[in-house]
Structure formats: C-alpha cells, structure tokens
Amino acid sequence: MSRNTKVHQLGDGGRKCDAKLRVIANGDTEVNLVRAERCDALAVAPTYRIGQRSYSMEQVESVEAARRESADPLGRYAKSAPLPARGKIKTVTSDICANVFILKHRAEPLPKSLQVEETARMGTLSTAKVPLSKLKELTADPLVRQVSLGQGLRDPNPVIATGRATNPGPKFRAVRRVNLHKNGRGVLVGIIDVQGFDFAHSDFVINGKTRFEAIWDMGADADGTSPQDYGRVISRTQMNKALAANVGAPATQLEPQSEMDFGSHGTHVASIAAGNVGVAREATIAGVLISLGSKDRDRRRSFYDSTRVAHAVEWLMQLGDKLGMPVSINISLGTNGHAHDSSAPVNRWIDAWLATPGRGVCVAAGNAGQEKAETPDDVGFVMGRIHTSGKIPAAGLDVDIDWTVAGGDGHDYSENELEIWFSAQDKIGVSVRDPAGRTYGPVEPLEFIENQRLADGTFISIYNDLYHAANGANYIGIFLSPNFKAQPLIGIAAGQWTVRLHGRDIRDGRFDGWIERDDPLPLPPDPETPRRWRFPSFFSERSNVDCSSISTLACGHRVVAVANLDKARESINVTSSQGPTREGSNKPDIAAPGTDIVAANGFSSPADAWVGMTGTSMASPFVCGTVALMLATRPDLTAAQIIGIIQRSATPLVGKGFAWVNDAGFGQIDPAGCVLEAQRVNLPRKDKTP
C-alpha cells in the first residue's frame, strides 16, 4: 500500500492538544466561522472584523452574507493567516473561542501571563474558554499536560407517543408501605437538560407555588446571577411572583427561559423524577437548561458541550450544600466521544464530586442500541451502529473496518469522526480508503495527516498517538471534513470508507472504535443541491459490534447508568444502549421503565398537559427519583453505596439470572427494595459474642 500524501511526525507540543482540537486550531479562520455553526464546543464572539469594519452576529447571518458585505473583494477575514506548517498551531482570530478541559501537572491556577481564565477547577482538572489564538501559548506552558475540546452533546430525541395522554397518577405507589423515604422531602433533585423547564405546570405547583428552587438558564443573557459569565438564574421567589401575577399571560412568559419548547424534554424528565405524580414528589427541584442560545438558536454564539455539564453538576452540588440537602442529579444527555472507560474529563469531573457522601448522579445509557432494522422501512439502526471492536491476531496482519457515510444527494455535509482505542502494548498503523478507491496512509505511530485536501475538495485528518494522557492507552483519530469554504459547500462523499489497521507490534491485539455521530439535520436548500443533510455515519452490519454502545457520560465509575425497560413487554427496548465499558466495567447498572412513559407536557395548554415519551431519557429520571428517596432515608449514603444497593435490590428480567447482562445491567430497579436496603446502612451491628 503506497502513500499518496506526506505524513508528518507528531511532536510533543502537538500531542498536548487532543486530535479534534488540533483539526480546528490548524483550520482556516473562515472555515472555523462556519464550523462554529456545527461544533458544539466552538463559539464566535458577539463582534468580529470583516475587512476594515466590525460586525455583530446579528448583522452577519452567514459567511456568504459576510463576503457580500466585506470591503475586501476576495471576501477574506481581516485576521486570516496563510496556511501554517503542518503540526503547528497557527495564529487565528481571537473572536473564535473553544470550550476546553485543561489537565495540569499540579493542582494550581494557570499563570496569569497566559491570559486564559479558568472557569472552574477540580484538582488538576479545569475548564476554560480559550481563544484559538491562545492555544499555542497555552500548550507550551510547562504546567499544562493536555488540552481537550469539550465533547459535543447530542439532542436526546425521544420517541413521542401519538394521541392525547391523561394524568398518570403517582408513579411510586409500591413504596407507600415504607414510611422512611418521606417522598424525597429534604433532598434536592437536580435536572440537567434541554428545551426548558415549565415551572408553572400543574405537576410542579402546590397551593399556587412552584416546587422549583431555581433554574439556571445557560442560554440567557448574563445578568450577574449566574455562577459563570453566561446565563442567568431564576429564583423560586421570581417564579412564585410570576405565578401570583394575574395579567392574563402564562407565568413562564413573565419569567422566560431561552428555550421553552412545546413538549420540552427537560420538563418531562423533571416530572418523572420529582413531579407531583413523579417518584420523589416532595423533593426540592432545581433545573439547569443547557441551551443552544437566545438569538434564534444561533449555534455560532453558544456552547453545547460537556464543559457545560461539568459546570451544571458543580452548581447543583453547591446549591445542595447551601440548602443543607443531599443531592440526586439526572443527566439525560449523551455523547459517544472518547474512550468509554471513565477517563474522559467530564467523567473524572463528576466522579470527583461524587466522592463526598450525600450525592448521586444518574445518567441515561443512550439510545444507540439498535443494530438492524425491525421492519422494512425502519432506519433506526443508523443511530445504533456506532461501535466496532476486534482483534489483530499477530504482527504483519491487517483488519478492515467498514465505515459508511450517507447523504441525501450523495454527500454528507457534517464532519465525521471515528476514534479507535487499543492497548498501550500494541503498535498499529492505519490507512483509510475512500469510496472511489483512493488510499491515504499508512500513518504509523506518532505520525499524522492533518487537513489533507482530497481530490473532491474535502479534507481528511488522521492521528496515530501513543500513551494518551487521559488513560495511557493508544489512540487513532480519523476526521472527515466537508469543504466549508467552497461555494456551494462541498460535502463528504457518501459510500463505504474503509479503515485498515496494520499490526506492527502486537502483544494484545484488541481494539474498540466509536463514531461520534451527528444528529440528522437538513441544511437550508441550495438551488444546486436542494437535498443537503448533516447525517450520522455508521458502521456496516459486518463491522458493527452490538455491545459497548453506552454513552460516554454513563461510563463514570460512580454514576448510575440506566437502561430503558419496556415494562409492557418485560424486555429491554431495542434502542437502549448496551455495555460494557471499554475496560469491561458493568455499565449500565440497572434498567427502569422508559417506554411510553406519560409525564408533564411542557409549555402546553391544560388540555394537553400530559404526553408519553420513550427513551433512556425517561428511564434515568425514574432512578434519579429513587435515589432521592434513598437519600431522604439515609442522607449520608455515598455514591458507591447507592450503586451497591441498587444492584442488590434489582429484580432480574424474565428468563435472566442475577448476573449482570450488557443491556439490562443487574435487572429492573426495585424502588421499595432500595429504600429498605438504604435503611439498613450504618445500623448498629448485633453483638453475637458469647
């Protein structure tokens, strides 16, 4: 196999940036402005320069509009720079910022000389919003070990039931015989979610007052109430004042949020966990709205990534401390990036917060479990074929992975990302063959191809790194990028791309790979290409391996990962993601009802107050509410004890034993059993001494 492009050596400086951040940092400024519309961890400042003038984002609706308005006849941005030497971070406009995690050698602040403000710190790990122009200086600092781009969060996209639903009644009748759980009273239930929280819905109001303590709206304009320099916090006092007002408008219009979607996901999830007909129906509720932004959801101005989850967890834990309450948090959002072994920065961040007693976090396992069509017109498998694995038997042998890119007009207009993780014992080379049969590589360990232009005008980047700073494993990252600068946009060629792994020095041979999928989204029609789509890529049926599809966020050691139980069929829903994690940990931990779950229909009329939804997003808050009942019983339970009790109390599904299985964990959750077992924790031991 011959190389058809120059491969470069990966030096120490370059290795301090994770691969995706390197692709962006070494990209053209104009390209990154377009990329900011699609990359959750990139944002553009409110103003930036075009030619000799400064423009606001409201004035510049697209890069094409910017070109038409620019005084520069070539339509180039004022701070654009020529292409850099490969492997070096170029000087780019400070108007484009990245949300990052920074791993340091010591638990101390970054030097002030770097002019990089850390937005939060947890030991040697911190978050920061870094201008791309500062990355070179940041990675050169001896305190910095690694800089990682925040992982993009996928829209939850539950299945919405048709037909009108009615009030489901209390979801937790089974525990009425236990008098210790107090319906969650004295516990803070935190919901990190999207689309808004309808605090005025009847499921959250008692005697004219809401049960929400606070809502941190991350997408709102900053007003000084937020713990960060973005968003605002709506207090219980403000919400109750809006509820008491008699002005003929909904209370949520008097205290609006940046997102208030009809049938909002966040409202439905909060209702299951702690609504008046939910599990912990006397708990105090707090919501964090991770928003796409307040200006027509302009993704160029907003962040929607895992650093936001880290900030949300921190705020909820601190709010619990302020109120003197234990905390049970639900996260029904997910991502497929990183190694799925609890080493991702957001996993480490959450696990660190859970080292203190009186805290629990439940995470939806994800909806990427389907491997094949259930009916002739079923394409749900596209969202499920995200994991591959295998073994290179010996040095000198190759293994192929089939990676399918799809598109309505024969092209995909989103960036596609594939990560392959394997043992540090092995040395593996990698080549990529496009649908036309052209091969790129091989790229050997500590080599890379970066933003290499292909014959059709699109780009490929391949990185082959050793001893990743997060977990010590070896890593291959492959990125396929459209030509964002071309007019019209040039998408990635649809068809089968083949990734060939070359065994160079094999002692273990096993590998796992994950696709960081996109949410299907049509782009605005273009006269020449009216069927343009951002579409998720997926593995072929041959290469897909139907396990370990669990979301990265659910891989943390101390979080409770929850699968979707179809209670009517007494089986796990076909879409529910599976375990184990890459290193073999038993995730998901438990299954809970998540199919056709009726709960509050956010921002709706009283006649449409309830709606049914399906997904692990609905299963996870059921367990979150159960954890709240456990903490009401024993406020000093540790996260490890919570997981142990849930596992011990689980009821195996029909035909299964007590052993862990990759789709259901240890079985169906038994809320009453969890509360009874929690009561036994730390009870005085009986003295049986003769």
Side-chain angles (χ1 to χ4, degrees):
M1 186 176 297
S2 62
R3 304 185 184 201
N4 60 6
T5 188
K6 186 177 180 181
V7 179
H8 305 269
Q9 294 295 316
L10 188 61
D12 290 340
R15 296 177 69 195
K16 280 191 175 184
C17 271
D18 71 4
K20 190 169 185 177
L21 186 55
R22 283 170 50 82
V23 171
I24 294 167
N26 287 328
D28 181 270
T29 301
E30 185 174 333
V31 168
N32 281 334
L33 283 169
V34 181
R35 185 179 264 133
E37 298 177 355
R38 297 163 171 82
C39 181
D40 305 317
L42 281 187
V44 178
T47 61
Y48 57 94
R49 290 184 60 80
I50 306 171
Q52 301 300 314
R53 296 174 56 192
S54 293
Y55 288 76
S56 68
M57 286 302 298
E58 287 75 14
Q59 291 172 306
V60 184
E61 297 177 350
S62 67
V63 170
E64 181 60 29
R67 285 175 171 166
R68 290 195 299 267
E69 292 183 24
S70 176
D72 179 354
L74 297 179
R76 294 174 180 169
Y77 290 86
K79 295 183 181 179
S80 294
L83 289 174
R86 298 192 183 279
K88 297 180 180 179
I89 295 177
K90 63 186 282 189
T91 301
V92 293
T93 174
S94 61
D95 296 317
I96 304 175
C97 297
N99 257 1
V100 300
F101 285 96
I102 301 173
L103 180 62
K104 296 172 288 188
H105 289 284
R106 299 179 299 281
E108 59 185 59
L110 291 173
K112 292 184 179 180
S113 59
L114 288 177
Q115 296 180 325
V116 172
E117 182 180 357
E118 296 170 280
T119 50
R121 289 199 296 270
M122 174 67 72
T124 58
L125 194 62
S126 64
T127 61
K129 184 171 69 174
V130 182
L132 293 184
S133 58
K134 293 286 185 181
L135 272 174
K136 182 177 181 181
E137 186 178 356
L138 176 64
T139 56
D141 190 275
L143 180 62
V144 175
R145 185 178 177 189
Q146 189 181 46
V147 182
S148 301
L149 192 70
Q151 294 172 255
L153 302 175
R154 304 278 68 84
D155 292 330
N157 293 325
V159 177
I160 311 298
T162 58
R164 180 168 293 178
T166 58
N167 188 321
K171 295 183 175 61
F172 215 57
R173 302 180 191 276
V175 158
R176 288 186 176 179
R177 60 189 176 88
V178 182
N179 298 320
L180 299 170
H181 61 80
K182 308 175 187 176
N183 289 327
R185 188 169 63 253
V187 177
L188 179 67
V189 170
I191 308 294
I192 303 172
D193 221 291
V194 295
Q195 299 178 352
F197 298 98
D198 187 353
F199 63 83
H201 192 284
S202 61
D203 203 30
F204 306 113
V205 176
I206 296 179
N207 298 325
K209 297 183 182 298
T210 185
R211 289 178 46 225
F212 272 86
E213 176 67 24
I215 296 172
W216 180 11
D217 180 3
M218 289 183 166
D221 294 332
D223 66 355
T225 59
S226 168
Q228 295 287 338
D229 63 355
Y230 58 88
R232 68 183 287 254
V233 174
I234 307 171
S235 69
R236 181 194 292 267
T237 300
Q238 291 170 302
M239 287 183 269
N240 284 335
K241 184 177 179 180
L243 283 166
N246 187 15
V247 296
T252 50
Q253 293 293 335
L254 301 180
E255 284 294 346
Q257 298 157 56
S258 58
E259 290 185 29
M260 297 191 295
D261 291 7
F262 178 81
S264 78
H265 191 269
T267 299
H268 198 269
V269 166
S271 174
I272 296 168
N276 294 337
V277 297
V279 179
R281 53 186 179 273
E282 292 187 45
T284 300
I285 309 170
V288 180
L289 171 56
I290 299 183
S291 175
L292 295 181
S294 59
K295 302 295 183 183
D296 298 321
R297 297 193 183 177
D298 189 341
R299 286 180 178 264
R300 288 169 296 182
R301 292 193 59 181
S302 62
F303 290 105
Y304 185 61
D305 66 276
S306 57
T307 64
R308 291 299 202 238
V309 172
H311 294 169
V313 168
E314 181 170 72
W315 179 72
L316 289 168
M317 296 298 189
Q318 291 174 344
L319 180 60
D321 290 344
K322 179 181 177 181
L323 297 173
M325 295 180 177
V327 181
S328 178
I329 295 174
N330 184 78
I331 307 173
S332 286
L333 304 170
T335 178
N336 293 325
H338 217 272
H340 293 71
D341 60 3
S342 80
S343 66
V346 68
N347 294 138
R348 297 176 60 182
W349 191 279
I350 296 173
D351 276 345
W353 276 106
L354 291 176
T356 300
R359 297 168 175 174
V361 173
C362 296
V363 180
N367 301 319
Q370 185 174 350
E371 63 171 332
K372 59 182 65 175
E374 298 282 295
T375 61
D377 59 348
D378 180 13
V379 294
F381 68 89
V382 168
M383 305 303 288
R385 292 183 187 169
I386 64 165
H387 172 248
T388 190
S389 64
K391 185 170 184 176
I392 302 175
L397 301 180
D398 298 338
V399 172
D400 282 353
I401 301 169
D402 300 335
W403 184 14
T404 304
V405 174
D409 67 340
H411 298 84
D412 177 33
Y413 294 90
S414 61
E415 291 192 280
N416 289 272
E417 175 184 352
L418 169 59
E419 298 184 26
I420 299 170
W421 296 81
F422 53 99
S423 170
Q425 293 180 291
D426 297 329
K427 300 290 177 65
I428 297 174
V430 59
S431 302
V432 177
R433 185 171 67 244
D434 67 18
R438 292 179 290 262
T439 299
Y440 308 92
V443 177
E444 303 297 344
L446 291 181
E447 292 184 344
F448 70 95
I449 296 171
E450 188 169 84
N451 290 325
Q452 172 67 38
R453 184 165 180 155
L454 308 186
D456 62 2
T458 59
F459 297 88
I460 189 171
S461 299
I462 306 173
Y463 301 87
N464 193 339
D465 198 4
L466 302 179
Y467 317 120
H468 196 279
N471 56 11
N474 292 342
Y475 161 87
I476 291 171
I478 305 170
F479 303 85
L480 306 177
S481 302
N483 190 328
F484 293 127
K485 200 170 182 179
Q487 295 297 321
L489 185 72
I490 301 175
I492 300 165
Q496 181 176 300
W497 293 69
T498 301
V499 177
R500 176 162 292 179
L501 302 180
H502 310 281
R504 301 308 191 203
D505 184 1
I506 302 299
R507 300 178 183 180
D508 180 272
R510 291 172 294 179
F511 64 87
D512 287 271
W514 287 273
I515 295 171
E516 181 59 287
R517 64 172 173 82
D518 307 295
D519 294 314
L521 182 69
L523 296 182
D526 180 272
E528 297 183 25
T529 52
R531 300 175 60 212
R532 302 186 306 168
W533 275 75
R534 291 176 54 194
F535 205 76
S537 59
F538 53 93
F539 292 118
S540 70
E541 187 172 2
R542 181 185 74 85
S543 292
N544 183 68
V545 177
D546 190 32
C547 66
S548 302
S549 55
I550 189 166
S551 164
T552 303
L553 288 174
C555 291
H557 288 304
R558 295 189 175 102
V559 304
V560 184
V562 187
N564 174 4
L565 171 67
D566 185 339
K567 199 164 185 178
R569 293 178 173 83
E570 298 184 293
S571 62
I572 298 301
N573 191 291
V574 67
T575 64
S576 188
S577 292
Q578 304 161 346
T581 66
R582 189 181 72 87
E583 82 275 38
S585 294
N586 292 335
K587 300 289 179 179
D589 299 280
I590 198 72
T595 302
D596 296 327
I597 303 301
V598 176
N601 192 15
F603 308 104
S604 62
S605 67
D608 294 310
W610 308 95
V611 65
M613 296 187 187
T614 294
T616 54
S617 288
M618 287 62 251
S620 185
F622 189 96
V623 179
C624 172
T626 302
V627 171
L629 301 183
M630 296 164 66
L631 289 170
T633 303
R634 288 287 179 185
D636 58 349
L637 287 175
T638 66
Q641 288 174 317
I642 289 169
I643 292 175
I645 290 170
I646 288 173
Q647 292 176 355
R648 164 64 187 177
S649 305
T651 302
L653 300 185
V654 175
K656 304 292 184 180
F658 289 101
W660 179 87
V661 290
N662 70 356
D663 60 349
F666 287 92
Q668 180 179 354
I669 192 165
D670 177 1
C674 288
V675 173
L676 289 170
E677 286 297 316
Q679 178 194 5
R680 296 188 177 103
V681 174
N682 297 329
L683 286 177
R685 298 179 181 176
K686 294 180 180 179
D687 188 355
K688 291 192 175 183
T689 304

